Amino acid sequence: MERTAVNPWDWSIKLGYNQAEVIDGATRQVICAGQTAVDGQGTPQHQGDMRAQISLALDNLEAVLKGAGMDLSNVVKLGIYATDVDEALKNFDLMGMRFGPHRVSPPMTLLGVTRLAIPGLMFEIEATAAA
């Protein structure tokens, strides 16, 4: 699979994502459901701690991708939902720490929402991956 970044402007690169990517040669896609800060039994974790919730949601996303034989380097699109966008952005260094070593900057959308499906959850990340 070959990824070609499309960035008519450079401002999004500074924020850690591309405006678009052309994906050539992919033969397999994985569509991941939104991952949140829940444990293996689906119980919410880290009430009131956005940073810990982002970290656990990323752990859960990595576990799903691993189960599909992929990792964060395969992610080609992200959708992120946060109940407090400002607080999420304060902790977005976690995204760079996870995706940076894979040298990918997938296009993403970050939306502020009133609440997530399970009360107490503040952050949800969904991904499309390809190989």
Side-chain angles (χ1 to χ4, degrees):
M1 174 179 82
E2 182 181 333
R3 304 165 76 125
T4 304
V6 179
N7 290 299
W9 320 275
D10 67 353
W11 63 263
S12 66
I13 298 167
K14 296 172 189 171
L15 295 174
Y17 69 95
N18 291 314
Q19 291 292 318
E21 288 185 344
V22 177
I23 308 297
D24 287 311
T27 59
R28 197 167 156 250
Q29 271 193 358
V30 174
I31 312 300
C32 300
Q35 299 301 308
T36 59
V38 296
D39 64 15
Q41 289 70 46
T43 304
Q45 304 293 304
H46 310 299
Q47 183 83 17
D49 186 341
M50 179 68 80
R51 189 169 187 82
Q53 286 202 13
I54 292 171
S55 183
L56 182 51
L58 287 166
D59 288 347
N60 290 341
L61 175 59
E62 287 189 280
V64 169
L65 290 168
K66 183 177 180 182
M70 295 188 183
D71 61 31
L72 293 177
S73 70
N74 297 103
V75 173
V76 297
K77 172 85 172 86
L78 292 170
I80 299 172
Y81 308 90
T83 59
D84 184 337
V85 171
D86 293 330
E87 191 62 23
L89 287 172
K90 286 179 192 174
N91 292 286
F92 248 49
D93 62 307
L94 293 171
M95 299 289 287
M97 290 166 60
R98 296 291 185 96
F99 283 90
H102 295 282
R103 303 179 57 109
V104 296
S105 302
M108 76 171 77
T109 299
L110 169 60
L111 295 174
V113 296
T114 305
R115 63 164 278 199
L116 296 172
I118 300 172
L121 293 177
M122 302 181 297
F123 185 87
E124 186 164 345
I125 184 168
E126 59 185 21
T128 301

